[in-house]
Amino acid sequence: MHLYDSTVPSGNAYKVQLLLTQLNIAYKQTSLDILATPSESRKPEFLAINPNGHVPALVLDDGSILTESNAILFYLAEGSSYLPDDKFKRAQVLQWMFFEQDSHKPYVSKWKYRTYWAPHGFDDLPKDQVDDMRVKGQTAIDVMEKHLSDSPGRDWFVGDSYSIADIALYAYTSHAEILGFRVGQNVKRWLARVKETEGFVRIKKDPTGKNPY
Ligand SMILES: N[C@@H](CCC(=O)N[C@@H](CS)C(=O)NCC(=O)O)C(=O)O
């Protein structure tokens, strides 16, 4: 398999790296400079792999291509302990992965990008858009906190084991506190539990040195 990620640590690409490592699957890796102008992910060579111009993309051994981090997780996890067999639980896994893409990532990951790498930081955004990003990112983290605290002893997002729902949510939530979001005790304990899972690897360090995580 061949994974296309970025030289700066993309949370979306990290999800795939983490699962590939936990599944013990060997892979080649090409890291694109997404801070270049134009981004290497927008050049024709890569657009031939993902016409949407985003990493991650995973090229399978037979040449077929998968894009969208959570779809890649779903594909890789099939048949493993990281994706439940039960029909309802599988739907719950998808529920949290859609939540991550729709209600969490657009705010927390944008905040991360603007904090460390955007040429103008937040300065080229109207204040109300910055405030909105902050409020919505915080709301997503609070929803996670509520879910984990709703039922005593709930360790994982779905059922009672670590799954790709946790991987999808971990990628950007692991940066939330350093970005200044309020992170509740239950989310903090869950972040620590993810770090203890077998074969866990942290996200790559930022080669620009701007992101201290
Ligand atoms: N929904 C996509 C989002 C992918 C995405 O936003 N990738 C960013 C890096 S985290 C990217 O490729 N940015 C460079 C660009 O858009 O040119 C996924 O989950 O894979």
Side-chain angles (χ1 to χ4, degrees):
M1 292 196 193
H2 190 157
L3 174 66
Y4 289 82
D5 76 334
S6 49
T7 49
V8 287
S10 147
N12 288 310
Y14 167 60
K15 296 171 191 173
V16 179
Q17 286 159 346
L18 176 55
L19 183 60
L20 282 168
T21 307
Q22 294 195 303
L23 287 170
N24 218 2
I25 296 175
Y27 62 98
K28 286 196 293 188
Q29 190 169 337
T30 299
S31 302
L32 305 180
D33 183 357
I34 60 170
L35 301 183
T37 315
S39 162
E40 282 184 354
S41 66
R42 305 287 163 155
K43 290 194 169 164
E45 303 87 291
F46 186 72
L47 291 176
I49 294 169
N50 182 4
N52 203 23
H54 288 316
V55 295
L58 187 68
V59 182
L60 307 183
D61 292 341
D62 67 0
S64 25
I65 295 167
L66 268 177
T67 63
E68 293 296 325
S69 57
N70 290 350
I72 300 172
L73 292 184
F74 194 78
Y75 170 79
L76 291 172
E78 186 70 59
S80 78
S81 64
Y82 303 110
L83 180 61
D85 292 330
D86 175 77
K87 184 175 173 179
F88 187 70
K89 286 191 181 141
R90 288 165 76 88
Q92 286 180 311
V93 165
L94 288 177
Q95 173 193 306
W96 283 108
M97 293 202 300
F98 283 117
F99 163 82
E100 188 267 342
Q101 286 284 296
D102 183 62
S103 303
H104 183 298
K105 186 218 111 155
Y107 312 111
V108 180
S109 96
K110 245 186 223 158
W111 198 274
K112 178 182 162 193
Y113 172 72
R114 294 241 163 216
T115 300
Y116 300 126
W117 303 305
H120 305 289
F122 293 90
D123 294 349
D124 56 337
L125 281 186
K127 187 182 174 313
D128 57 340
Q129 269 187 44
V130 177
D131 292 347
D132 187 60
M133 200 190 300
R134 189 80 189 165
V135 168
K136 288 183 171 151
Q138 186 60 55
T139 302
I141 291 160
D142 293 346
V143 166
M144 293 172 65
E145 176 68 18
K146 179 166 185 327
H147 179 67
L148 290 171
S149 62
D150 262 358
S151 155
R154 177 174 280 160
D155 284 347
W156 305 109
F157 273 84
V158 176
D160 50 19
S161 61
Y162 173 64
S163 74
I164 53 173
D166 299 289
I167 294 182
L169 289 165
Y170 180 81
Y172 288 102
T173 309
S174 57
H175 282 69
E177 195 168 29
I178 199 175
L179 290 169
F181 289 99
R182 264 187 339 272
V183 178
Q185 287 310 311
N186 287 281
V187 169
K188 281 188 184 165
R189 282 194 284 267
W190 164 79
L191 289 169
R193 270 193 296 279
V194 173
K195 279 188 173 169
E196 292 299 313
T197 56
E198 199 176 337
F200 174 86
V201 279
R202 54 155 288 139
I203 194 167
K204 63 160 74 167
K205 297 260 186 200
D206 177 10
T208 72
K210 292 180 181 161
N211 172 0
Y213 184 80

